[in-house]
Amino acid sequence: MYLMKIDLHTHTHYSDGKLSPSELVMRAHNQQVDVLAITDHDTVQGIAEAREYQASQKRPLQIISGVEISTKWHGFEIHVLGLHIDYQDQTLASRLAEQSEVRLTRAQKMCNKLAKIGIEGVFDEAMARVGTGQITRAHLAQVLLDRGEVSSWQSAFSQYLGKDKKAYVNAPWPTIAKAITWIRDAGGVAVLAHPGHYDMKTKWLRRLLEEFKDANGQGMEVTHPNMSPTKKQLLFSLAREYQLLAAVGSDFHAPSPWSELGRKLDIDSDLPTVWADWPECRKAS
Ligand code: AMP
Ligand code: MN
Ligand code: MN
Ligand code: MN
């Protein structure tokens, strides 16, 4: 039996990814990915370009329109993926425009904090890299790293940009329930992103899953590349317990030895998946 290679969580340079949508699609071809969702942070800008590029290609690839929405829950920044959305939906566009405003204001405030401790001009430098895309903390981290203010990407977060660090600003993100409504209004499936990456105990994770399900969330990511088998099994069993559909994605941001499209994303075959009834995921025989 031929198993499809499916990757439902990826970024382009319209948020904090390194590749353009065309480059991302090209890479998906080279990695033999069959189905690729593009899920930039709070924007759908890359999707039209990816679809246009694919339309000019001979090699097959199904593109799923997606978005990764930032929300807040009990002080945690929780990400919710909207998969299989109508990326041209006008209501969604205006809601994402509000997210852009929040992002710009937050970045400005973070950079003001940096300026107060002597690191000036980060905002303008970051914006020059952002172009028409969505500004993220990753852009600020890159400026700090390039200037030699920090010695590693991780320390940009552990010293300045991470939660409650020197330049951290608490953003007024929407609730999880709101993001789920936005996604479902745009015809999409709402999926809890990377539940294994939040810094919370299993008891809190359970609470999160319960509330996500109660707010009409439909799925959860059940694996990430390089996740331990024990953690994977925990996520598989939580998906079963809370009756959330399984989703898989690499959360690809840039080519590196540790991260690749569609790699190491296998899951237990009995798990009900978000893509079970998607025509894009039916292999032509
Ligand atoms: P933002 O959505 O603007 O808060 O930026 C979040 C992005 O920054 C994430 O998607 C990651 O790519 C990166 N990021 C956030 N926190 C960390 C961290 N502690 N270490 C490394 N990268 C991080
Ligand atoms: Mn990111
Ligand atoms: Mn995320
Ligand atoms: Mn992501």
Side-chain angles (χ1 to χ4, degrees):
M1 190 179 65
Y2 176 79
L3 281 179
M4 295 188 95
K5 205 166 183 181
I6 294 173
D7 190 332
L8 301 179
H9 188 160
T10 69
H11 294 270
T12 76
H13 69 189
Y14 284 99
S15 65
D16 55 356
K18 285 280 183 292
L19 304 183
S20 69
S22 306
E23 290 166 337
L24 185 73
V25 169
M26 208 184 310
R27 194 169 187 95
H29 283 302
N30 293 340
Q31 296 299 324
Q32 279 88 41
V33 170
D34 297 292
V35 182
L36 177 79
I38 297 175
T39 55
D40 275 313
H41 295 286
D42 300 303
T43 181
V44 293
Q45 279 176 96
I47 293 168
E49 189 181 318
R51 289 188 178 281
E52 266 161 44
Y53 178 78
Q54 173 54 28
S56 73
Q57 297 297 299
K58 286 206 176 66
R59 294 184 285 184
L61 174 71
Q62 296 291 339
I63 294 174
I64 305 292
S65 303
V67 65
E68 179 170 17
I69 298 181
S70 302
T71 76
K72 200 154 69 182
W73 182 78
H74 295 282
F76 292 102
E77 295 197 25
I78 303 295
H79 289 174
V80 182
L81 294 175
L83 297 177
H84 225 287
I85 51 168
D86 172 6
Y87 73 100
Q88 292 166 317
D89 184 278
Q90 285 308 303
T91 308
L92 179 66
S94 67
R95 287 162 166 172
L96 294 180
E98 287 172 33
Q99 295 286 86
S100 294
E101 283 302 311
V102 172
R103 283 189 168 277
L104 272 175
T105 308
R106 176 186 65 156
Q108 187 94 65
K109 285 183 177 166
M110 291 183 85
C111 293
N112 289 346
K113 281 192 164 183
L114 286 170
K116 277 200 181 124
I117 50 176
I119 308 173
E120 292 178 15
V122 175
F123 185 76
D124 290 346
E125 224 173 287
M127 284 310 286
R129 294 154 191 260
V130 168
T132 65
Q134 200 71 289
I135 190 161
T136 72
R137 281 184 289 168
H139 294 96
L140 307 186
Q142 194 63 53
V143 173
L144 294 176
L145 190 59
D146 290 354
R147 285 197 191 174
E149 292 287 352
V150 291
S151 56
S152 72
W153 179 266
Q154 272 314 320
S155 59
F157 284 90
S158 62
Q159 287 185 58
Y160 298 107
L161 310 172
K163 193 166 190 295
D164 301 328
K165 304 302 178 192
K166 284 182 217 163
Y168 185 74
V169 170
N170 208 345
W173 298 124
T175 61
I176 291 175
K178 229 182 205 178
I180 293 173
T181 303
W182 294 357
I183 290 162
R184 299 200 62 162
D185 284 352
V189 180
V191 170
L192 181 69
H194 41 66
H197 285 175
Y198 301 118
D199 187 17
M200 60 175 76
K201 297 250 157 58
T202 305
K203 188 177 153 195
W204 272 87
L205 183 56
R206 287 178 165 280
R207 209 174 142 187
L208 172 61
L209 293 171
E210 192 174 322
E211 289 189 28
F212 188 80
K213 175 82 181 176
D214 283 348
N216 294 317
Q218 296 136 295
M220 64 183 266
E221 291 193 299
V222 294
T223 186
H224 316 307
N226 311 320
M227 179 171 266
S228 77
T230 320
K231 191 125 193 202
K232 261 179 147 179
Q233 285 305 324
L234 171 68
L235 293 185
F236 294 170
S237 68
L238 289 172
R240 292 188 185 99
E241 184 178 336
Y242 291 92
Q243 298 188 325
L244 286 162
L245 300 169
V248 298
S250 59
D251 203 0
F252 181 84
H253 282 74
S256 88
W258 312 277
S259 126
E260 189 50 86
L261 291 171
R263 198 176 65 186
K264 293 196 267 186
L265 295 173
D266 39 300
I267 58 170
D268 282 0
S269 58
D270 67 304
L271 284 169
T273 63
V274 289
W275 65 82
D277 62 355
W278 293 354
E280 294 87 348
C281 296
R282 223 157 281 146
K283 188 75 187 169
S285 49

